[in-house]
Amino acid sequence: MFIRPVSMEEGRRLQQISRTAKDPVKLRRTIVVMMSAQGQSVPDITSLMQVSADYVRDVIHAFNEREFEALDPKWSGGRPRTISSEVREHICLIARTSPADWRITAFSTWSLTKLAEHLVKQSIVPAVGRETLRRILREGKVSWQSTTTWKSSNDPDFIAKMHRVLALYDTPSADGRVVCVDEFGPLNLMPRKGKAWRPRRSPRRLRATYNRYDGVMHMLAALDLATGKLYYRIRPRKRWREFLVLLKALRACWPGEKLYVVLDNFSPHKHANVRAWAAANVELVLLPTYGSWLNWTESEFAALRYFALNGTDHCSHHEQNTAIAAYMHWHNAQSGPKTSFAPDSPIRTWTEYPAKAA
């Protein structure tokens, strides 16, 4: 038994498939067809390929009937699902509820085991395993997440203030410079959790206990949006006096430009002496109440905490301040203009403050 005569073009195609096929089944079928086309008998092919004679005959018959389509394996879909799509959607809905919704007061959240037991008890399914339940939830885009909190703003001018800040971020004034100011801290001398590449099951360990015999420090920092550079100073306190000194230092950096200082509602920022000095020197752009997330400096502080402080246990403020200074030097050397603040965020379309903004 042999395959039908193969043209030159078909022979080249078979040869190409034998070189490029990644599926072992397709490759094996192609080799059987090529060997048969070269005049080798079924017993010879069986001996060389270590397959049964019935397999060789089936491949030859299939190629004669369906040509190259016969080379592609037709995988079956496996055992049909025993849990229908409707039941799977119902399971995902139940998983998103609280046990209290079902008058279960013994626990406040579902584990996979408890959820499976509840589904069986409610006759949703006759039986379901933990892994099956895990796959159903994953396919339904239901994941295990931490509970978050939110805090609403009571500022009646929230939208107006927010759009004022966003306008400065998007199109800075031609006659001035936008600077975001905030405080970071307190800077304690304490072991800080962090992450690092380590051998498996061998995490770096830090002491768990500490004291504050050396007191705490505070950082006052400013982010220049035009360059992306951070200007900072670390002081024992963060009163209006320290804040005013920072403002005067910023004013001295750009003497010929108007400064728009974006800042939150921390009481030293609104001190009478600060306001009196700012009236003739800078424009204070206050964020909405509980709207500190609009301050661009917050993201820079998150990076500072992650890269310079997390995973450390400094022995002195001098040592910790030196580490912060090294990070700041690196940051400013890599910095560039800050643009595109939350361009795709829903806040861009807010016309009134939503009930749950966070």
Side-chain angles (χ1 to χ4, degrees):
M1 174 185 290
F2 301 95
I3 66 167
R4 60 169 177 76
V6 177
S7 66
M8 291 291 292
E9 183 179 351
E10 289 176 328
R12 284 193 295 268
R13 185 176 175 185
L14 286 170
Q15 197 171 36
Q16 182 180 9
I17 294 174
S18 68
R19 293 173 179 171
T20 60
K22 296 182 179 180
D23 190 316
V25 176
K26 185 174 184 178
L27 177 61
R28 185 167 57 245
R29 291 179 181 179
T30 303
I31 295 175
V32 169
V33 171
M34 291 178 65
M35 294 177 70
S36 180
Q38 293 169 358
Q40 298 192 44
S41 64
V42 172
D44 292 339
I45 299 174
T46 300
S47 176
L48 291 172
M49 296 294 296
Q50 295 296 305
V51 293
S52 67
D54 289 339
Y55 176 83
V56 175
R57 293 189 184 96
D58 289 342
V59 171
I60 293 174
H61 276 302
F63 187 83
N64 288 338
E65 293 175 0
R66 296 185 284 120
E67 299 185 346
F68 285 90
E69 183 183 348
L71 301 179
D72 295 317
K74 304 297 182 183
W75 302 109
S76 61
R79 189 182 70 175
R81 288 183 170 182
T82 57
I83 302 177
S84 66
S85 299
E86 292 77 10
V87 174
R88 288 169 179 264
E89 292 180 6
H90 194 187
I91 290 174
C92 291
L93 288 174
I94 293 176
R96 291 161 56 186
T97 64
S98 169
D101 297 333
W102 300 87
R103 298 182 179 179
I104 299 175
T105 58
F107 41 89
S108 62
T109 188
W110 300 112
S111 66
L112 288 176
T113 301
K114 289 181 172 59
L115 180 58
E117 293 173 352
H118 178 72
L119 294 173
V120 173
K121 185 176 180 180
Q122 295 295 321
S123 301
I124 307 298
V125 290
V128 62
R130 290 175 54 189
E131 289 306 313
T132 300
L133 187 55
R134 192 194 308 276
R135 287 196 297 271
I136 290 173
L137 296 178
R138 186 186 301 117
E139 292 172 2
K141 297 182 179 180
V142 178
S143 60
W144 183 254
Q145 302 176 28
S146 299
T147 302
T148 61
T149 59
W150 60 276
K151 193 170 188 177
S152 61
S153 175
N154 55 6
D155 193 331
D157 300 321
F158 184 96
I159 296 298
K161 292 180 179 179
M162 181 187 71
H163 285 305
R164 166 63 172 156
V165 172
L166 293 179
L168 287 174
Y169 289 169
D170 295 340
T171 54
S173 177
D175 65 340
R177 182 179 296 260
V178 180
V179 180
C180 297
V181 175
D182 203 359
E183 289 78 19
F184 178 76
L187 295 171
N188 302 320
L189 294 179
M190 58 180 288
R192 302 175 186 271
K193 289 185 177 181
K195 295 182 179 180
W197 297 107
R198 297 280 297 171
R200 182 176 296 179
R201 296 183 180 179
S202 179
R204 182 175 176 232
R205 298 186 181 276
L206 299 175
R207 61 193 175 103
T209 57
Y210 66 97
N211 54 57
R212 293 192 177 94
Y213 295 154
D214 294 318
V216 299
M217 303 291 284
H218 302 273
M219 175 192 290
L220 295 86
L223 173 66
D224 173 27
L225 300 190
T227 62
K229 292 185 177 181
L230 283 167
Y231 300 84
Y232 79 102
R233 53 191 59 210
I234 297 176
R235 296 291 183 266
R237 303 182 70 176
K238 53 177 182 179
R239 302 166 300 178
W240 69 267
R241 295 178 179 84
E242 288 77 15
F243 176 64
L244 184 56
V245 171
L246 175 65
L247 288 182
K248 291 180 178 179
L250 295 175
R251 175 71 281 172
C253 289
W254 304 286
E257 301 181 52
K258 182 175 181 179
L259 290 188
Y260 298 89
V261 180
V262 179
L263 68 172
D264 59 26
N265 290 271
F266 185 39
S267 58
H269 298 169
K270 301 186 291 184
H271 192 275
N273 292 348
V274 173
R275 287 182 176 273
W277 179 87
N281 293 276
V282 301
E283 180 178 338
L284 300 180
V285 183
L286 292 174
L287 294 167
T289 306
Y290 302 133
S292 59
W293 45 271
L294 283 167
N295 194 327
W296 212 323
T297 319
E298 292 290 344
S299 60
E300 301 296 338
F301 285 166
L304 167 64
R305 182 181 293 107
Y306 184 88
F307 290 109
L309 295 178
N310 285 359
T312 65
D313 185 10
H314 296 295
C315 298
S316 66
H317 282 294
H318 174 74
E319 180 182 313
Q320 182 166 261
N321 295 348
T322 301
I324 293 174
Y327 172 81
M328 289 295 194
H329 178 76
W330 173 87
H331 173 277
N332 289 343
Q334 311 289 326
S335 65
K338 308 296 287 186
T339 58
S340 301
F341 180 87
D344 301 321
S345 173
I347 65 173
R348 295 287 181 169
T349 59
W350 284 0
T351 56
E352 60 182 11
Y353 187 77
K356 293 184 179 181

